[in-house]
Amino acid sequence: WYFQAVYAAFKVLGAEHPVFAELYPVLTEILRWHVEGTRFNIKRDPADGLLFAGEPGLQLTWMDAKIDDWVVTPRIGKPVEINALWYNALRITAELAATLGNAEDAVHYNTLADEAYTAFNARFWYSGGYLYDVIDGPDGDDPTLRPNQVFAVSLPFGLLEDEKARAVVDLCARELVVSYGLRSLAPDETDYVGYYGGDPLQRDSAYHQGTVWAWLIGPFAQAHYNVYGSPQTALSYLEPLGDHLSDHGLGTVSEIFDGDPPHAARGAAAQAWSVAELLRVYRVLEPALKAKRPG
């Protein structure tokens, strides 16, 4: 995500801004440690160029609920969104290297990205018509239907060809998208929990097992636009959250909602990343909408 922040600044400030020459060594150092391996068994797998992470007892991804010694969603292996971010980090660094006149580095990072792209497409596609949530886990590959796959379509450097990208967006729209965000788990999955409530054990066991997360509507809307090219349709997914601004935490957006109707607001009444993702994707898509309007 740090690479995403740098790249967003790069697109706004322009290549000539001196900050990017200062940041470039930081980015390459981060990549070096991921290639060599670092804490928590985080490492680039030389066999396929993808990123592996995790050890028993740890929760390393954003799905990080842990109750005493129980990690609810450990996701040990090669998580789909982590590898989408890894691929993007490589492409971003290659683009910065070329901009800064470091042709050798640009070739190196693009080569690593090419390897990751090839392996991702060869290994992450599940026969059910969507992406595995995690591959190479302790129990093999995990086809649990979760929203993490949307990042393979939403990030600046996409990983899927058109037909597969549409399949991911369409399936997420059908099974995961509700009025205020995306479910963290499809309702027909065995571990699905549609209500977030009760004591801490009950709440944490539901947190990423069906609970709706508002922040995910941002990457979904971006992915929808990337696939279908309609800013109006993509922005329509944000409209219910506009209504939500006046029905819970006034003028702001909640953290989570129940997976089951009527999708009651839960968790923090004002959540920064819920608000930020709405603002981010609106800023991206609104100019495209204006450009399509006549006159």
Side-chain angles (χ1 to χ4, degrees):
W1 285 118
Y2 181 68
F3 287 80
Q4 291 297 315
V6 171
Y7 195 57
F10 177 74
K11 290 298 185 181
V12 171
L13 297 176
E16 69 281 356
H17 197 288
V19 71
F20 299 110
E22 297 178 30
L23 290 175
Y24 180 74
V26 178
L27 302 183
T28 58
E29 184 73 354
I30 292 170
L31 295 181
R32 181 176 73 83
W33 278 108
H34 280 74
V35 170
E36 293 183 4
T38 184
R39 295 184 301 166
F40 312 134
N41 207 18
I42 299 170
K43 60 189 177 185
R44 173 185 177 270
D45 185 346
D48 59 12
L50 297 173
L51 209 62
F52 183 99
E55 295 174 346
L58 294 176
Q59 69 283 27
L60 295 183
T61 71
W62 78 275
M63 292 186 162
D64 58 355
K66 184 177 182 180
I67 306 163
D68 296 325
D69 293 330
W70 176 38
V71 178
V72 182
T73 50
R75 305 184 73 223
I76 297 171
K78 297 168 181 172
V80 62
E81 82 282 11
I82 298 300
N83 277 283
L85 288 163
W86 169 242
Y87 171 73
N88 271 258
L90 293 167
R91 290 293 190 212
I92 288 165
T93 307
E95 186 173 330
L96 285 173
T99 298
L100 295 170
N102 195 332
E104 185 176 346
D105 273 11
V107 169
H108 171 64
Y109 292 118
N110 273 322
T111 298
L112 292 180
D114 289 342
E115 292 175 4
Y117 181 93
T118 300
F120 188 98
N121 278 273
R123 304 203 55 216
F124 266 100
W125 191 253
Y126 173 53
S127 60
Y130 57 94
L131 294 169
Y132 284 109
D133 190 56
V134 182
I135 63 171
D136 292 351
D139 299 317
D141 300 338
D142 180 9
T144 303
L145 181 53
R146 296 188 183 275
N148 303 303
Q149 61 188 297
V150 79
F151 293 100
V153 186
S154 68
L155 292 174
F157 297 92
L159 276 151
L160 299 176
E161 298 300 322
D162 291 347
E163 184 177 349
K164 289 182 176 179
R166 281 194 298 272
V168 165
V169 169
D170 291 348
L171 185 62
C172 287
R174 187 167 64 248
E175 300 293 337
L176 302 177
V177 174
V178 301
S179 299
Y180 304 120
L182 272 67
R183 293 183 175 107
S184 46
L185 185 66
D188 60 353
E189 294 283 356
T190 302
D191 295 327
Y192 174 80
V193 182
Y195 170 73
Y196 179 87
D199 61 29
L201 175 63
Q202 292 172 308
R203 294 198 306 272
D204 282 348
S205 63
Y207 208 29
H208 302 108
Q209 298 289 65
T211 296
V212 171
W213 288 76
W215 78 279
L216 291 171
I217 204 67
F220 175 79
Q222 179 73 64
H224 195 284
Y225 174 70
N226 291 349
V227 166
Y228 287 106
S230 170
Q232 183 173 5
T233 304
L235 284 168
S236 71
Y237 286 98
L238 311 184
E239 291 175 4
L241 283 159
D243 297 333
H244 168 67
L245 295 177
S246 61
D247 69 15
H248 196 64
L250 295 181
T252 189
V253 181
S254 297
E255 176 189 16
I256 53 177
F257 301 80
D258 286 339
D260 287 347
H263 309 299
R266 308 290 182 188
Q271 182 75 358
W273 57 350
S274 299
V275 173
E277 269 302 296
L278 279 177
L279 292 174
R280 182 196 65 80
V281 77
Y282 184 82
R283 181 182 177 127
V284 169
L285 297 180
E286 178 65 8
L289 181 62
K290 289 180 178 178
K292 283 182 173 280
R293 289 173 180 155

